[in-house]
């Protein structure tokens, strides 16, 4: 019996930057009847609100839901009828500037400057700075075709590691690279969740689409959690149905 099921967001619960489909919202409401649920991902709170918080059916028990934007450097819980931040850990200005410069230099050095960009490519999320290769507003189809096997981002990631020693650099979403303080990854976020919730790590399981070395879900595996790698939200629905059935037994 697991007390808490933690999920990645993009590629796991929803398509990249898209709201949860109604079927997923209902599935999470079913899961919240039998366990706590956490969502930990690179997006900031406005993205979480649009994709998850506002998409749950009325019956969902939000008091058992833990939303962790920017890879767990922020935590939001539901009380007194609304969502509020429990904590938020932010970058200083000098580090922000250094990261933004490094992104430009890395793209030029690796030769992966895309022909077309939709919107800003670098998003400052306070506790995390995220690079989206095709821009924040890129259409889903373009994003899915740019780097489906992570090959381009592995090259950019390796270059960034030489420019930004002492920072954590992970691939996420369809075209993103997330930069946080050193040691801040999903393992860090899950340990913060353990402390905030009082639920032991061995009572948690993690579901994500990037549970492989270099993927931003992999730290959950290295932390020792039971993990399930999925290919898409459709597979996640099957995992949730299985967990709900097992927890009822």
């Amino acid at each position: 019996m697991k007390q808490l099921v933690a999920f990645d967001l993009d590629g796991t619960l929803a398509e990249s930057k898209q709201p949860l489909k109604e079927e997923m919202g209902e599935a999470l409401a079913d899961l919240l009847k039998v366990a706590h649920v956490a969502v930990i991902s690179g997006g900031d709170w406005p993205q979480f609100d649009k994709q998850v918080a506002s998409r749950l059916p009325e019956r969902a028990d939000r008091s058992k839901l833990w939303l962790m934007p920017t890879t767990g450097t922020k935590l939001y819980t539901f009380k007194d009828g609304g969502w509020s931040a429990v904590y938020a850990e932010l970058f200083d200005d000098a580090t922000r500037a250094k990261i933004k410069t490094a992104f430009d230099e890395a793209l030029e050095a690796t030769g992966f400057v895309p022909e077309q960009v939709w919107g800003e490519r670098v998003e400052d999320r306070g506790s995390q700075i995220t690079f989206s290769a095709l821009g924040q507003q890129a259409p889903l189809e373009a994003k899915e075709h740019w780097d489906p096997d992570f090959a381009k981002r592995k090259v950019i990631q390796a270059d960034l590691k030489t420019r930004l020693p002492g920072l954590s650099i992970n691939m996420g979403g369809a075209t993103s690279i997330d930069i946080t303080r050193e040691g801040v990854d999903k393992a860090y976020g899950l340990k913060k969740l353990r402390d905030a919730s009082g639920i032991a790590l061995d009572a948690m399981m993690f579901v994500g689409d990037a549970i492989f070395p270099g993927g931003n879900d992999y730290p959950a595996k290295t932390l020792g959690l039971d993990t399930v790698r999925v290919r898409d939200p459709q597979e996640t629905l099957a995992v949730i149905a299985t967990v709900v059935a097992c927890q009822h037994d």
Side-chain angles (χ1 to χ4, degrees):
M1 291 282 285
K2 295 294 180 184
Q3 290 177 258
L4 183 146
V5 184
F7 295 90
D8 167 53
L9 180 48
D10 286 351
T12 300
L13 291 176
E15 300 296 344
S16 179
K17 296 208 171 172
Q18 301 304 302
L20 296 187
K21 290 187 174 171
E22 186 178 348
E23 189 179 12
M24 185 64 78
E26 295 292 344
L28 290 176
D30 291 341
L31 183 56
L32 284 162
K33 288 181 179 176
V34 297
H36 286 254
V37 170
V39 182
I40 179 169
S41 184
D44 205 351
W45 171 252
Q47 196 68 31
F48 266 68
D49 191 26
K50 183 184 101 173
Q51 286 187 262
V52 182
S54 64
R55 302 292 295 177
L56 295 169
E58 199 57 45
R59 67 187 180 92
D61 184 357
R62 291 161 176 79
S63 69
K64 288 160 57 180
L65 184 58
W66 307 81
L67 297 182
M68 307 189 76
T70 53
T71 318
T73 51
K74 298 178 183 178
L75 170 64
Y76 284 75
T77 57
F78 191 84
K79 58 183 178 183
D80 302 324
W83 293 96
S84 58
V86 178
Y87 64 78
E89 303 164 353
L90 309 178
F91 274 129
D92 61 67
D93 292 342
T95 306
R96 280 195 181 92
K98 185 178 177 185
I99 292 169
K100 290 174 182 178
T101 300
F103 274 136
D104 291 336
E105 292 172 349
L107 266 191
E108 198 159 323
T110 57
F112 291 123
V113 180
E115 290 178 14
Q116 187 172 2
V117 173
W118 292 264
E120 292 293 320
R121 280 194 308 191
V122 177
E123 185 182 358
D124 185 343
R125 299 173 178 173
S127 53
Q128 173 179 296
I129 294 179
T130 294
F131 162 74
S132 298
L134 303 183
Q136 297 290 328
Q137 312 303 322
L140 189 58
E141 187 179 6
K143 290 164 72 169
E144 287 177 340
H145 285 96
W146 186 72
D147 190 27
D149 56 359
F150 293 83
K152 292 176 183 173
R153 277 176 293 167
K154 283 178 181 171
V155 175
I156 298 168
Q157 179 189 41
D159 183 89
L160 283 168
K161 283 182 174 176
T162 67
R163 298 175 192 279
L164 296 169
L167 292 173
S168 183
I169 302 165
N170 286 292
M171 294 176 283
T175 63
S176 300
I177 295 176
D178 301 324
I179 297 191
T180 54
R181 292 200 326 276
E182 188 168 34
V184 174
D185 54 21
K186 288 190 179 172
Y188 172 92
L190 289 163
K191 285 189 279 190
K192 295 279 285 188
L193 177 61
R194 171 199 61 198
D195 297 342
S197 67
I199 297 171
L201 292 173
D202 59 10
M204 299 180 187
M205 68 179 285
F206 182 85
V207 182
D209 67 322
I211 305 174
F212 52 81
N216 69 350
D217 295 331
Y218 193 68
K221 189 176 185 72
T222 61
L223 190 58
L225 263 67
D226 289 337
T227 59
V228 180
R229 183 178 175 184
V230 294
R231 281 178 297 190
D232 53 35
Q234 208 56 40
E235 280 198 359
T236 302
L237 285 170
V239 172
I240 293 173
T242 302
V243 172
V244 170
C246 291
Q247 299 280 69
H248 274 305
D249 290 345

